Amino acid sequence: MIKNIIGMLVGREMGRRQGGNGTKGAILGTIAMSGMRRMGPLGMALGGAYVAKKAYDRKRGRGI
């Protein structure tokens, strides 16, 4: 279940970066998830780190 959540969050961040809609983010998340799954635990860690960094940068940029 955590794999699905990380894949969904990665897809959302990638969709935001490209200015697309939710469908584009979901497709990108599915593709990214398949790559992360093949990498094993390292892929999950990298995906989680990517999402965490994006959230941190967004929070830092707002001045919160």
Side-chain angles (χ1 to χ4, degrees), residues 22-35:
T23 306
K24 187 175 184 180
I27 292 170
L28 289 172
T30 303
I31 293 169
M33 189 63 218
S34 66

Side-chain angles (χ1 to χ4, degrees), residues 24-61:
K24 187 175 184 180
I27 292 170
L28 289 172
T30 303
I31 293 169
M33 189 63 218
S34 66
M36 288 187 298
R37 193 178 311 131
R38 291 182 186 270
M39 292 175 67
L42 177 64
M44 292 295 119
L46 290 174
Y50 175 77
V51 171
K53 182 184 181 318
K54 291 297 182 179
Y56 174 75
D57 289 344
R58 192 176 312 117
K59 182 178 177 182
R60 196 167 135 223

Side-chain angles (χ1 to χ4, degrees), residues 11-24:
R12 184 182 74 180
E13 292 298 330
M14 291 173 77
R16 281 184 179 176
R17 183 181 72 191
Q18 302 208 356
N21 55 13
T23 306
K24 187 175 184 180

